Amino acid sequence: MAKSYETEHPVKAFGLAATDSSGHLSPFKFSRRATGDDDVQFKVLYCGICHTDLHYLKNEWGVTQYPLVPGHEIVGVVTEVGKKVEKVKVGDRVGVGCMVGSCRSCESCKEDLENYCPKIIPTYAAPYHDGTITYGGYSDIMVADEHFIVRIPENMPLDAAAPLLCAGITTYSPMRYFGLDKPGMHIGVVGLGGLGHVAVKFAKAFGCKVTVISTSISKKDEALSHLGADSFLISKDADEMQGAMGTMDGIIDTVSAHHALMPLIGLLKAHGKLIMLGAPDKPLELPVFPLLAGRKMISGSGIGGMKETQEMIDFAAKHNIKADIELISADYVNTALERLTKADVKYRFVIDVANTLQQS
């Protein structure tokens, strides 16, 4: 007979879990593995709420295993380390992002691109090496292999650092890889949500000119005054879009809703790059002719490897880049998820796990 969630591992844990595709979260007692030789155990202080959590909670991608403890923007303080651990020590500030394992031997892993490993192990809802299912950061305690631990610089607030472990690396990595990080470049950012607002901050830190592209005029003041974007385009305004044709070196598209690519391709200069970061649930229409007329490129990107994630968090600390967050209590999570479906957050919910996740 299979062990219960509370007894399959020796370390008692408590969190919030969904048991079906309603996605409703309720208190959940489970267990974490004992700290192995290469493991780091830490007390979870904060965990960000990512749109991916919502997809998984409602099984919108058809791969969810219940019970599900979401959360892959996890930060806290180390409480125990295995005897082979060298990266961190007890008391250090650390985080775990979207993955907790990979094969460590394939071509991608050898190139520090564990995020593209065919055997990647996501932080939640996936079989771990021992066959048990991974649980995420909506919980009081976390255990992970030190290879997948990120050190959080002392000058970075932990609550605002948490979303960078997903939203931060998801935007930083493609800008670096595709060379959209050079001073003076003109970068467009489509969508001003959890990913988009961080993309603006990184692009500005790289010294780029930044234009936010949105369907909503209500985002204009926020983009220009608060986030420091240089200009703002209403994507539904044909005249505005026409006036910006052929002006951008690259575009970071963070939108997960179905939307037209043709107008965005038109904004690119010759050799320009449109990088897709959102994950629409239906295929988008791909117009090829405008790609040919300018050797333009459409590509995608997903999070980043561990080496680059550490580089990103260090860069963010150096340039004072933080996610804009709304800090919430654990008992507000279901309401926050409802608001997230309506994009009613600026710009990332973060759960105050340590102070508010209480066993009844």
Side-chain angles (χ1 to χ4, degrees), residues 156 160 164 198 201-203 205 313 315-323:
M156 177 165 282
L164 298 181
V198 177
K201 294 184 180 192
F202 278 122
I313 210 86
F315 179 92
K318 180 180 178 181
H319 294 272
N320 196 31
I321 294 171
K322 304 184 291 284

Side-chain angles (χ1 to χ4, degrees), residues 129-145:
H129 298 301
D130 62 5
T132 62
I133 299 301
T134 56
Y135 295 119
Y138 295 16
S139 60
D140 59 356
I141 188 171
M142 189 73 193
V143 180
D145 185 294

Side-chain angles (χ1 to χ4, degrees), residues 203-221:
K204 289 300 294 181
F206 291 142
C208 300
K209 175 186 176 184
V210 180
T211 295
V212 170
I213 305 157
S214 175
T215 58
S216 174
I217 186 66
S218 64
K219 301 273 184 81
K220 183 173 183 177
D221 185 60

Side-chain angles (χ1 to χ4, degrees), residues 225-286:
S225 303
H226 176 63
L227 295 173
D230 299 281
S231 54
F232 188 89
L233 281 178
I234 300 292
S235 56
K236 293 184 288 190
D237 186 319
D239 290 339
E240 277 195 20
M241 294 292 281
Q242 182 66 33
M245 290 269 285
T247 63
M248 298 182 190
D249 298 283
I251 296 174
I252 303 295
D253 186 343
T254 70
V255 175
S256 290
H258 197 274
H259 60 291
L261 298 182
M262 183 77 139
L264 300 178
I265 296 169
L267 297 175
L268 293 170
K269 297 177 182 176
H271 317 290
K273 304 175 179 81
L274 171 59
I275 314 302
M276 310 299 295
L277 302 184
D281 56 3
K282 294 186 177 67
L284 302 182
E285 186 175 319
L286 177 62

